[in-house]
Amino acid sequence: MSQLNPKLLARQSKEIQRLVNYADALVRSGSQVEDRYWQGLAGQLLDKLYAGRRNTSVEQTLELLGSQQQNQHYEIVMELAEAHAESLRIEHQGVLYDALLFSAPLTAWTRYQLPQGVLTETQRQELDACLRNTILAEGVLCALVPDLVNYDEMPQTYQQAYEWTHTLAAKALGRSQENVRPLAPPEANTLLADARFLVGVALAPVGQPLFRWQQQGESAHAAHLHCIEQWVQQCTPILGPLFTGCQVQYLAPNAYYVNTREADREIRPLAVQAGVTWLQTAANIAPDQLRAVIVASGNEVVEEYRVGFSTVSSPAVIYGCIWPVLSQEEAESSLSEDEHIDIPDIIAALLKSLGVQHVHRLPGLHSTEVCEDCNAPFFPDIHGEMQHPELPDEIDLDPVQLH
């Protein structure tokens, strides 16, 4: 097990040094008893940082561990950071509760335009009842964000997630009527494929189940599958009218960070599929007339893959898709000669299944450059040059809005 450079660690803040030392102690721990001790100290520090709006120390710790390839330490700090952002223990009227920030995602793609997540009061009440009837255990307290939110509107830092957890927990306990304030996206969302999230906090007395499948003992797995089936069955008629003209998949409600990654994972192929379909139906470009170029993008490590689309008759980039990297394992395997997760091959196979036969994979690590004027990402052409995607002048698109 390699060690972090002591001189490099000594140049960091006291908070970063402490988080790294706690992670190192957990890596070396040989028992759950010792684990709980170090986890308790790390948790106290994280709560202090979040409450004091000093989230940057956590982010900088993860950047330091990632850059030094301290994978075990990185995973430990990330798990602790997420746990203390999305959960808490809170006492109310003599009862100690466990609270969890959760989400129920759906992924959707369309040839037209995805709707925003504004819900009617009737839909809010029906979704609340649906959660209580299918997912939450008996007697669990719950408070929901009033509307469906997208990635841009959700917490972007651990400290923001911590605030959502505490605000919604207070509302569920009747201590406050304050709602969380979703982050305002810079402009209207025009993606063809994206996720929407129903977000809330659930609270149960310590030692009591939060979810229905926890009440089933040895048959928990079958109960979990049944609960999810019931959730999808009852949720579909509530949200279906909002997503007219879209292909929708409902994912299982679960903890906030787990489901953010799961929705990311599900949306990746949908974004590619939606892009190819849109170019075919709206721009009238058949898949076999498209060229797709795949490059790895990032600063020091692979952060995402960018797919630039052009026609076979021109190198000009007309459209692009981003395939985010969701784990250290994916990032490292992308740069390893002994690859066991070859993401470009996965993307290429998907493109070819959609009828795109001209697929190219370029070597190297490319920039994550975006347009300074509109903030749109740049995508690669066949020569590896990162371009702003622009449809040819002869293609006149008037977006069709179904929502």
Side-chain angles (χ1 to χ4, degrees), residues 138-356:
E138 293 289 339
V140 167
L141 304 176
C142 179
L144 297 173
V145 176
D147 297 311
L148 303 181
V149 290
N150 60 41
Y151 287 107
D152 291 334
E153 297 170 310
M154 291 161 61
Q156 307 297 305
T157 67
Y158 294 123
Q159 188 271 327
Q160 290 170 345
Y162 174 90
E163 286 189 354
W164 278 36
T165 302
H166 283 251
T167 300
L168 289 169
K171 185 176 182 181
L173 291 169
R175 293 181 174 182
S176 167
Q177 291 303 310
E178 180 185 1
N179 279 322
V180 299
R181 294 184 176 87
L183 303 180
E187 57 187 21
N189 192 326
T190 58
L191 296 175
L192 299 175
D194 203 5
R196 300 288 185 266
F197 298 82
L198 179 67
V199 181
V201 161
L203 299 96
V206 172
Q208 298 298 311
L210 276 173
F211 302 112
R212 283 183 175 263
W213 54 83
Q214 293 177 270
Q215 300 173 310
Q216 303 304 313
E218 294 181 359
S219 60
H221 178 62
H224 183 260
L225 294 177
H226 177 73
C227 288
I228 302 311
E229 289 174 1
Q230 292 296 305
W231 163 252
V232 174
Q233 181 179 337
Q234 295 185 29
C235 187
T236 300
I238 300 172
L239 292 177
L242 184 63
F243 289 88
T244 302
C246 302
Q247 298 290 324
V248 181
Q249 178 182 3
Y250 297 92
L251 306 184
N254 210 332
Y256 177 81
Y257 283 106
V258 165
N259 259 358
T260 301
R261 284 189 289 271
E262 185 61 25
D264 267 331
R265 188 171 289 107
E266 292 293 328
I267 207 69
R268 295 188 299 188
L270 292 183
V272 175
Q273 181 178 356
V276 173
T277 302
W278 181 79
L279 287 169
Q280 181 176 9
T281 58
N284 199 31
I285 304 174
D288 62 1
Q289 295 302 305
L290 290 172
R291 176 190 290 116
V293 179
I294 306 168
V295 298
S297 294
N299 294 319
E300 297 181 357
V301 297
V302 181
E303 300 171 17
E304 61 194 24
Y305 288 90
R306 295 193 178 184
V307 185
F309 291 91
S310 62
T311 63
V312 293
S313 59
S314 170
V317 176
I318 61 173
Y319 189 80
C321 292
I322 291 179
W323 185 290
V325 169
L326 301 180
S327 68
Q328 290 286 104
E329 183 182 17
E330 284 189 350
E332 290 168 5
S333 65
S334 300
L335 299 176
S336 170
E337 295 181 0
D338 184 22
E339 297 176 346
H340 56 283
I341 303 175
D342 195 319
I343 293 178
D345 277 359
I346 294 173
I347 299 172
L350 173 60
L351 287 165
K352 290 183 178 180
S353 74
L354 296 170
V356 182

Side-chain angles (χ1 to χ4, degrees), residues 18-92:
R18 288 172 63 190
L19 281 173
V20 171
N21 288 333
Y22 292 148
D24 188 66
L26 281 162
V27 168
R28 300 175 189 283
S29 169
S31 68
Q32 289 187 357
V33 173
E34 186 180 352
D35 285 352
R36 286 194 291 268
Y37 174 78
W38 296 118
Q39 288 168 354
L41 291 177
Q44 291 174 20
L45 176 57
L46 287 167
D47 288 340
K48 180 180 178 181
L49 292 172
Y50 293 156
R53 298 177 180 270
R54 294 153 64 190
N55 183 78
T56 53
S57 295
V58 183
E59 305 289 352
Q60 289 169 359
T61 302
L62 290 170
E63 290 176 8
L64 175 66
L65 294 172
S67 67
Q68 297 295 303
Q69 298 183 337
Q70 299 293 305
N71 298 335
Q72 285 183 285
H73 297 70
Y74 181 96
E75 294 294 335
I76 286 171
V77 173
M78 186 181 72
E79 289 177 9
L80 289 169
E82 290 181 355
H84 283 268
E86 71 182 7
S87 63
L88 77 150
R89 282 195 168 177
I90 183 170
E91 187 175 354
H92 181 68

